Amino acid sequence: MSDVTRDDLIDFLYEEVRMLDDGRFDEWMELWTQDGHYWMPLNYNQQDPINETSLLYEDQFMLRLRIQRLIGARTFSQKPKSRCHHVIQRPHVDEIDNEAGRYRTVTRMHYVETRLDDQFLLALTATHDLVRQDGALKIALKKVELLNCDAAFGNIQLLP
Amino acid sequence: MAHYETRAEIEGLVTPFQVHRDIYIDQDVYRQEMKHLFANAWVYVGHDSQTPNKGDYYTTQIGDQPVIMVRHTDNEIKVLYNRCPHKGTKIAIDRQGNTGKFFRCPYHAWSFKTDGCLLAIPLKKGYEGTGLSDTENGKGMKAVGAVHNYRGFVFARLASEGIAFEEYFNDSLSSLDNMVDRSPAGRLEVVGAPLRYMHQCNWKMLVENQTDTCHPMVAHESSAGTAVQIWKDMGFTDDDPKPAAMEIIAPFMSAYEFFEDMGIRTWPNGHGHTGVHHSIHSKYSEIPGYMEALTAAHGKEKAEAILAENRHNTVYFPNIMIKGPIQQLRNFIPLAADRTLAESWIFRLVDAPEELTARTALYNRMINAPTSIVGHDDLEMYERAQEGLHADGLEWVNIQRLYQEGEDFETEAVENGTTERQMRNQFHAWVKFMTVSMTQKEAAE
């Protein structure tokens, strides 16, 4: 694969949220490295995902479980199913290191989730640590910082 | 017209094995709970590690009452109503901070010592001869009726007269003891902020669910059952060493017999716990160095006895639950008849390996978060019940599993782990603390 360009990274991020909005979760799972983590801190500026509570800090096993559960026959909180919608700003490309195959982007977005008569909006900043593996971009870490991370929430069932 | 004002009306809501739906859906019942139950009971406020230094404060609620927990200059924890005695302005709005030697109201700069006593008023001569000092407001910020700090856990009773702390909790304190004893230093510290999870349902549904052992394999089949299936699909068996996440979630799918055999213990005044003999926490991997640290602190025999207890959920009536084996506390704060804030806190065992903190943090986000695949189905059940209870075809809620005629809740009992006796125990205490101040009023007349 030739060098990853700024446009490649931006296209990747747009495609990622499109998969989430379309519910194409199996494809979405293919975007990750084997030890990739999805982190949603509980605290503004939280540094430690391990020894403090986070909203999410999930490895590939947990993400697979989460995705698998969504389509289960007895997943009562998904009867009826939730839907989601991402509106993203043009991502900031903070790091392009083609030699090491490492990239970092920061994307501000609005995330909307709905089920039955309820709909809510989250404003957030997603930081992606991406790596190039076998010629493809993969997510090593996706950190999702909610603007109101310290607020009380009802169910957030899909993934920002 | 407001109802549920009298003792007879309150008592009429609870039978030995059924409770009336208004207990969950009626706003007048909620108001009476705030006025009577949450005033007469000992309610959890916070942990003293949240306010380690003099002047440190933490703001929270006891029932619907805004309070400040603060460390006074004598190092004791005080609990004050969070309102200026002047115009009612809340004195502190941030969830925690340090106020120095005194609180200062941001509206007119009335100031108060950290035990609430009035310290100063600007231009005080304006009150000379007005009789301010003879009023209750002129004394300062009002303190709650009574405060007790039990091994770091701060409880308060709003009513100035009432049941003593020791009599209220009595032998149930063994669960808190076990959680604290798990620290080689005998001390816990709050770690980070709590998860804050909003539920559009009555607070008692969450409390009852803590000792409901017939729901995990049903409501949580979607998460725990799927986890077990994925594990199998990966080629592992139940005997293979599991990652921490699997150790936590797989036992939710245990068979009914597992929950029957684990036992439920009830204590007087509405307290009780699941997991008398074993629990879903029994088979967690050992953390290297922990047993050694605990043995060095307590001796081998006591250390083994401490870790042999694997109590599942202990309910401290009215509205908290603790999990000793993983150092957690959940506080179910009632905001309205149909609105409850569930706060989930984790603790560090002082002088124990940090891996134990990592495990409790993992458990907390996996099970108790608004983003939790386990919490999602619990909340779904509560909110469906909150709506379903409005159906007029039936007015009563059933809590009859393993009911026996003539149950005596004033003595401790250990029974089959699937009994709903602890729910009945809670409602027995509910009537008691709802009506105790009504009784006193009647007796005085």
Side-chain angles (χ1 to χ4, degrees):
Chain A
M1 174 180 178
S2 53
D3 280 358
V4 171
T5 66
R6 181 174 293 264
D7 271 351
D8 292 335
L9 293 167
I10 292 171
D11 288 348
F12 178 90
L13 295 165
Y14 272 84
E15 188 56 26
E16 189 222 335
V17 297
R18 190 175 176 188
M19 287 179 189
L20 290 170
D21 287 352
D22 292 349
R24 289 185 279 134
F25 295 117
D26 288 336
E27 280 177 71
W28 182 74
M29 287 300 292
E30 296 299 316
L31 299 180
W32 294 80
T33 65
Q34 261 187 349
D35 57 356
H37 278 76
Y38 185 118
W39 183 25
M40 188 188 289
L42 175 61
N43 260 323
Y44 187 70
N45 276 338
Q46 183 175 338
Q47 302 298 314
D48 184 350
I50 308 285
N51 295 305
E52 284 178 40
T53 305
S54 297
L55 286 160
L56 293 171
Y57 185 62
E58 303 210 331
D59 61 10
Q60 294 305 293
F61 176 81
M62 285 301 298
L63 286 175
R64 188 172 157 198
L65 167 56
R66 180 173 290 276
I67 296 323
Q68 197 70 28
R69 173 184 170 275
L70 288 173
I71 57 169
R74 290 179 174 165
T75 303
F76 305 114
S77 76
Q78 283 297 294
K79 290 178 181 296
K81 289 193 183 303
S82 304
R83 294 188 295 272
C84 71
H85 182 83
H86 293 73
V87 181
I88 75 177
Q89 278 188 3
R90 183 176 183 275
H92 299 278
V93 177
D94 283 3
E95 185 186 338
I96 297 187
D97 185 342
N98 273 309
E99 205 157 312
R102 290 150 58 98
Y103 315 88
R104 173 172 285 185
T105 62
V106 175
T107 314
R108 300 186 193 280
M109 61 179 89
H110 284 181
Y111 170 82
V112 181
E113 188 177 305
T114 187
R115 179 175 175 252
L116 292 166
D117 290 331
D118 293 324
Q119 179 167 294
F120 61 87
L121 168 72
L122 298 172
L124 61 99
T125 302
T127 302
H128 286 75
D129 286 341
L130 303 171
V131 295
R132 195 172 54 194
Q133 276 183 359
D134 304 326
L137 285 167
K138 301 276 179 185
I139 306 169
L141 176 67
K142 177 175 177 178
K143 181 163 84 164
V144 171
E145 294 173 286
L146 303 182
L147 181 65
N148 62 340
C149 56
D150 50 358
F153 299 108
N155 276 351
I156 302 171
Q157 298 207 55
L158 300 179
L159 287 161
Chain B
M1 191 186 76
H3 36 335
Y4 301 122
E5 303 257 305
T6 69
R7 188 190 166 104
E9 282 175 306
I10 294 297
E11 285 175 344
L13 291 169
V14 177
T15 80
F17 52 81
Q18 297 189 114
V19 295
H20 193 270
R21 63 168 173 179
D22 280 1
I23 274 191
Y24 303 96
I25 64 176
D26 188 291
Q27 193 63 16
D28 287 336
V29 172
Y30 170 80
R31 272 190 283 270
Q32 292 294 72
E33 287 179 332
M34 296 306 107
K35 186 176 166 188
H36 293 282
L37 173 61
F38 278 81
N40 295 322
W42 283 89
V43 180
Y44 178 70
V45 183
H47 193 266
D48 75 358
S49 64
Q50 294 171 261
T51 56
N53 303 306
K54 291 171 184 174
D56 284 349
Y57 66 87
Y58 161 66
T59 61
T60 181
Q61 297 184 201
I62 298 175
D64 62 351
Q65 297 297 297
V67 296
I68 305 177
M69 179 177 105
V70 59
R71 194 173 289 267
H72 187 48
T73 44
D74 64 2
N75 239 344
E76 295 295 307
I77 302 287
K78 306 288 181 188
V79 180
L80 310 172
Y81 287 95
N82 190 358
R83 104 176 267 261
C84 181
H86 181 207
K87 297 282 191 184
T89 312
K90 272 185 162 180
I91 297 289
I93 288 293
D94 38 2
R95 294 190 184 128
Q96 56 192 24
N98 183 289
T99 193
K101 288 206 166 87
F102 58 90
F103 286 111
R104 180 177 183 271
C105 180
Y107 197 0
H108 302 95
W110 287 30
S111 60
F112 313 91
K113 294 180 194 168
T114 45
D115 61 358
C117 290
L118 182 68
L119 185 63
I121 298 176
L123 210 60
K124 198 166 185 181
K125 63 184 183 208
Y127 290 103
E128 275 172 20
T130 64
L132 173 70
S133 55
D134 300 331
T135 67
E136 201 174 4
N137 296 48
K139 293 185 174 62
M141 291 169 68
K142 176 107 173 151
V144 301
V147 177
H148 192 99
N149 181 349
Y150 186 79
R151 304 190 71 180
F153 292 83
V154 178
F155 293 83
R157 191 190 64 218
L158 294 175
S160 53
E161 313 256 316
I163 189 167
F165 179 86
E166 291 77 9
E167 187 191 344
Y168 183 77
F169 286 114
N170 215 306
D171 292 337
S172 74
L173 292 171
S174 56
S175 284
L176 268 177
D177 284 337
N178 181 258
M179 183 155 80
V180 179
D181 288 344
R182 283 169 177 264
S183 153
R187 219 170 64 242
L188 304 185
E189 285 175 357
V190 162
V191 178
L195 288 163
R196 303 176 72 241
Y197 195 174
M198 193 64 79
H199 290 60
Q200 306 300 332
C201 72
N202 190 270
W203 63 278
K204 294 185 291 299
M205 291 181 184
L206 286 116
V207 179
E208 283 164 44
N209 193 57
Q210 305 310 308
T211 60
D212 182 321
T213 50
C214 286
H215 87 282
M217 67 298 281
V218 182
H220 302 309
E221 183 184 341
S222 74
S223 49
T226 304
V228 170
Q229 189 57 48
I230 291 176
W231 184 250
K232 218 181 276 176
D233 293 345
M234 290 166 82
F236 295 114
T237 72
D238 198 39
D239 297 327
D240 284 311
K242 301 181 184 74
M246 266 304 280
E247 282 192 347
I248 285 171
I249 202 163
F252 281 67
M253 279 312 281
S254 301
Y256 285 112
E257 294 72 30
F258 176 91
F259 289 100
E260 286 192 299
D261 293 345
M262 83 183 202
I264 283 183
R265 177 183 280 123
T266 70
W267 293 287
N269 297 323
H271 318 302
H273 79 94
T274 44
V276 177
H277 312 295
H278 59 263
S279 77
I280 62 169
H281 307 309
S282 295
K283 290 201 169 166
Y284 293 166
S285 305
E286 277 186 40
I287 302 288
Y290 178 43
M291 189 62 194
E292 290 79 351
L294 207 58
T295 302
H298 295 301
K300 189 163 185 286
E301 200 178 333
K302 190 178 173 197
E304 283 175 352
I306 290 165
L307 296 186
E309 284 283 346
N310 276 294
R311 295 182 185 185
H312 173 220
N313 294 341
T314 298
V315 168
Y316 286 111
F317 185 80
N319 67 324
I320 64 163
M321 179 276 275
I322 68 158
K323 279 182 178 295
I326 49 165
Q327 315 102 53
Q328 298 204 345
L329 184 149
R330 303 191 75 199
N331 191 2
F332 307 112
I333 301 174
L335 302 179
D338 59 358
R339 196 166 157 84
T340 304
L341 174 61
E343 288 186 345
S344 299
W345 298 82
I346 63 169
F347 299 91
R348 171 184 298 115
L349 299 172
V350 176
D351 289 349
E354 193 68 349
E355 286 89 336
L356 286 152
T357 313
R359 180 150 69 200
T360 184
L362 169 65
Y363 192 99
N364 210 24
R365 64 180 183 261
M366 273 182 71
I367 311 296
N368 299 329
T371 37
S372 158
I373 55 176
V374 175
H376 289 160
D377 284 313
D378 278 326
L379 180 137
E380 177 73 12
M381 296 307 126
Y382 307 142
E383 293 187 350
R384 284 193 195 192
Q386 193 71 29
E387 291 181 21
L389 286 173
H390 287 270
D392 288 330
L394 294 167
E395 291 190 11
W396 294 85
V397 174
N398 187 280
I399 48 170
Q400 203 163 3
R401 180 177 284 280
L402 294 171
Y403 165 73
Q404 296 161 305
E405 210 174 319
E407 285 177 324
D408 174 14
F409 298 110
E410 298 306 321
T411 56
E412 181 180 324
V414 173
E415 294 193 1
N416 179 306
T418 58
T419 182
E420 288 173 341
R421 179 187 164 105
Q422 171 55 18
M423 301 175 200
R424 299 188 287 274
N425 186 36
Q426 283 159 202
F427 280 109
H428 179 79
W430 186 86
V431 171
K432 178 175 171 180
F433 292 101
M434 280 288 271
T435 58
V436 63
S437 38
M438 296 175 181
T439 312
Q440 280 162 358
K441 201 192 289 173
E442 280 165 17
E445 278 165 3

